Amino acid sequence: MTTYSNRPLLLALSVTVVATSLAAVAVPAALAVPANSATAVPTLTWRSCAQPGGPAGQECADLPVPLDYADPDGPQLTVAVSRVRSDRPGARRGTLIVIPGGPGSAGVQRLTQKGAALQKELAGAYDLVGLDPRGIGGSTRANCGLDEEDRYMTTLRSWPAPDGDITENVARSRRTAEACARNGGAVLRSFSTANEVRDIDRFRQALGEEKLSAWGVSYGTYVGAVYAQKYPRHTDRWVLDSSGDPDPSRLERGWLANMAQAADDRFPDFAAWASDPAREAEGLRLARRPQDVRPLILSLAAELDRRPRETTTAGIALTGNRLRQALQSALYSDASFEQLSGLVVAAQDPAVTPVLPPELAYPLPDQDAAVMVAVICNDVRWPASVASYRRAVAADRVDHPLTAGMPANITPCAFWKNGPVEKPARITAEGPSDILMIQNLRDPATPYFGALKMREALGGRARLVTVGHGGHGVYLGNGNACGTGKVTTFLTTGVRPDRDTFCAD
């Protein structure tokens, strides 16, 4: 769900990576910390970890957390955490945690990317902190032992065959689930939204804070909403940026399914850009009229289904599904339109060898693929009927040809060997009225109609700022001064709009 830096499958920043055993059922001894550390507030030992381009003075530490919170004195894992102290101590009013998207994104890297902008925008009002969820970046990792072919974006995303057949998707999903059950062990089974929320609260305690403020983006909005549901006394000023439908019966599965309509809602922005006469001189104009861009893309994808093109990446062809995935990824941000249009132009020219975006050209590391799969399968039980997925894909391909049935298709969760340890949280209006939601009107990953479900669930706890813009991620992301100003005002003064409000593009 997330700009590319926030969407699933992010390659996490390595900060003191802690390896885990491939098949251990218990935590390897090398990762264990004294058993009594779980019952006491942990002490954080901070060290410098400033990165080029990141905020000066960034620090990192390792937070011990229980493998299983039902056994707090049992085996422990390590969660990587980071902070940037307020550069204006006299103005400091608290601590704000940056909650990344995904599942699969790193909070430490997110803080590195956004820390300086937040410092400038918030004028020293907060110490800024971030946390790598279990399985990500510098936190304890786990492997599924997946074959390389099963770790490409277009295989982790379950794109049907050109004729809509899902036989290969079924086989890959079963193979992935079996590998994760065989190799991931108890560590992999602990990767869940519920445990991320508990780890955040343990981080709060280690920081010595009674309350946290937060900026959660994409999947991070759900993590933030669950935290606000479970620990309402510990929330201060809470920002949910680009939210999905929190219906506990359709978590993750519903978010994926909603991306079909979301792509349709967002595509006209790309069509307008790609048909603009300004693209002519750039060699990127795809059509004379916006309404002609969609049929061109669909026709080209069908042609690549029949005859894939060689690319500059040896052994990796540009197929119809790789083009479809490139489109889906590019819709996250206007900044990606140029790359997508260039790929389309190259794919139509026999004299040019297309260059794939890096996320399509190379497989993910096994540990990154493992955590992305594990969280969505550990959070909630998915339907197991293969026939129901076949029917859903067939219908979705007709209704939403841009995404060709992928959002409705089967995933490894249909064959997951261990059901959810606990029921997912139901988001309600119970708790303090301290939440500000902000949402693009045309979001390709967390569509507006899904965000309205989150708004409805939160009731009087929240206000919603709608931004008349396309793309995924709003605050400090798309340049909308009105939306950015309302979030900054809330975080620095506590003042929200009296009612839900709209910011024009």
Side-chain angles (χ1 to χ4, degrees):
M1 293 176 58
T2 74
T3 56
Y4 181 67
S5 63
N6 292 323
R7 74 183 64 138
L9 311 182
L10 177 75
L11 300 183
L13 178 69
S14 176
V15 182
T16 318
V17 174
V18 182
T20 61
S21 166
L22 296 183
V25 175
V27 181
L31 295 178
V33 298
N36 63 7
S37 66
T39 57
V41 175
T43 299
L44 297 172
T45 302
W46 295 101
R47 61 188 181 275
S48 174
C49 62
Q51 300 290 316
Q58 185 169 0
E59 300 174 292
C60 291
D62 299 313
L63 174 72
V65 298
L67 170 68
D68 181 356
Y69 276 89
D71 181 18
D73 293 327
Q76 304 286 294
L77 307 181
T78 297
V79 167
V81 297
S82 186
R83 76 175 175 189
V84 179
R85 289 183 180 271
S86 168
D87 55 357
R88 294 176 57 189
R92 182 187 179 277
R93 65 167 310 277
T95 295
L96 181 143
I97 186 168
V98 175
I99 308 177
S105 296
V108 173
Q109 183 184 34
R110 182 72 174 161
L111 187 58
T112 301
Q113 294 169 335
K114 293 295 186 179
L118 282 168
Q119 283 183 307
K120 180 179 179 181
E121 192 70 23
L122 301 180
Y126 297 93
D127 288 348
L128 308 172
V129 300
L131 175 151
D132 283 352
R134 301 176 184 212
I136 302 298
S139 296
T140 299
R141 312 295 298 272
N143 287 334
C144 284
L146 302 180
D147 293 340
E148 181 178 287
E149 181 59 31
D150 294 339
R151 291 187 272 111
Y152 282 92
M153 180 81 84
T154 46
T155 49
L156 285 165
R157 289 281 179 90
S158 211
W159 290 95
D163 62 357
D165 183 64
I166 68 168
T167 301
E168 185 176 342
N169 305 126
V170 172
R172 177 174 288 111
S173 293
R174 181 180 282 111
R175 183 166 65 243
T176 298
E178 290 173 349
C180 290
R182 185 169 59 249
N183 299 319
V187 173
L188 189 79
R189 292 196 295 274
S190 80
F191 297 167
S192 68
T193 298
N195 277 336
E196 182 175 348
V197 166
R198 295 183 181 105
D199 293 346
I200 289 173
D201 198 60
R202 188 162 171 81
F203 187 25
R204 176 193 63 78
Q205 295 172 49
L207 290 166
E209 296 284 1
E210 178 61 26
K211 293 186 175 185
L212 291 174
S213 292
W215 173 35
V217 181
S218 192
Y219 165 68
T221 63
Y222 177 65
V223 175
V226 174
Y227 185 96
Q229 187 71 36
K230 186 174 179 63
Y231 302 109
R233 292 190 304 107
H234 298 305
T235 60
D236 186 7
R237 297 172 184 172
W238 222 243
V239 175
L240 305 182
D241 181 343
S242 307
S243 301
D245 182 352
D247 181 348
S249 68
R250 300 188 72 242
L251 292 179
E252 281 105 346
R253 180 171 62 95
W255 302 339
L256 185 62
N258 285 349
M259 291 173 75
Q261 182 61 54
D264 289 343
D265 294 343
R266 168 65 164 150
F267 186 82
D269 293 336
F270 172 68
W273 183 93
S275 59
D276 191 315
R279 306 285 87 79
E280 197 78 60
E282 302 164 354
L284 297 173
R285 194 177 188 190
L286 300 184
R288 296 286 176 181
R289 304 180 304 167
Q291 59 265 40
D292 294 332
V293 176
R294 179 184 169 101
L296 183 154
I297 295 284
L298 293 175
S299 175
L300 178 59
E303 174 63 22
L304 292 168
D305 284 337
R306 294 186 293 269
R307 285 180 287 275
R309 291 284 309 277
E310 289 185 3
T311 69
T312 57
T313 305
I316 305 297
L318 177 58
T319 62
N321 280 340
R322 283 200 171 93
L323 179 65
R324 295 180 184 102
Q325 181 59 58
L327 167 63
Q328 201 278 326
S329 297
L331 294 178
Y332 278 65
S333 171
D334 291 5
S336 299
F337 287 176
E338 180 177 341
Q339 183 181 61
L340 174 63
S341 192
L343 181 63
V344 172
V345 169
Q348 298 178 91
D349 187 344
V352 175
T353 302
V355 179
L356 291 176
E359 65 266 28
L360 296 183
Y362 304 103
L364 264 71
D366 186 64
Q367 291 176 325
D368 292 346
V371 69
M372 188 274 271
V373 173
V375 173
I376 67 173
C377 298
N378 287 335
D379 270 1
V380 66
R381 191 177 299 280
W382 290 48
S385 167
V386 172
S388 70
Y389 290 103
R390 285 200 177 98
R391 291 191 295 270
V393 165
D396 210 52
R397 285 168 59 82
V398 173
D399 294 340
H400 307 287
L402 286 174
T403 47
M406 179 274 290
N409 205 357
I410 199 164
T411 72
C413 303
F415 305 105
W416 207 242
K417 301 303 181 183
N418 300 96
V421 174
E422 55 197 301
K423 293 181 178 180
R426 180 174 292 278
I427 305 303
T428 73
E430 297 176 8
S433 184
D434 58 3
I435 298 172
L436 181 67
M437 295 176 59
I438 187 163
Q439 191 81 20
N440 281 327
L441 195 59
R442 300 179 303 283
D443 188 316
T446 52
Y448 190 68
F449 58 84
L452 291 179
K453 296 292 186 180
M454 177 71 86
R455 175 67 186 89
E456 180 182 9
L458 290 169
R461 295 196 69 181
R463 300 287 186 275
L464 171 63
V465 176
T466 300
V467 177
H469 197 279
H472 186 53
V474 186
Y475 187 55
L476 302 181
N478 65 15
N480 183 274
C482 171
T484 293
K486 292 188 184 305
V487 173
T488 297
T489 296
F490 172 57
L491 289 175
T492 54
T493 70
V495 175
R496 296 178 306 178
D498 292 336
R499 59 184 63 84
D500 293 353
T501 190
F502 181 80
C503 286
D505 191 0

